[in-house]
Amino acid sequence: MSAKDGTFFGTIGGGCGEAEVWQEAMDVIADGKPRIVTVDLTEPLDGEDKICGGVMDVFVERVG
């Protein structure tokens, strides 16, 4: 998803969940330690008009 310079390609859905995973990806690039990021979208953050929901676990590892 991300490169050393912060550029990225692809998406896992956008929004808050993607921002959480992107930040962890930057940490993985820095320290080289893979991790699983759990994104919980079961609670609305600001209003009830959200169309996504659920929980996903995303495995993040440095490649290359």
Side-chain angles (χ1 to χ4, degrees), residues 29-58:
I29 288 171
D31 66 23
K33 298 177 184 173
R35 61 200 75 173
I36 294 176
V37 182
T38 300
V39 179
D40 185 346
L41 301 173
T42 58
E43 296 294 326
L45 295 176
D46 56 358
E48 296 182 18
D49 61 340
K50 305 296 182 212
I51 60 171
C52 356
V55 178
M56 64 178 158
D57 292 324
V58 180

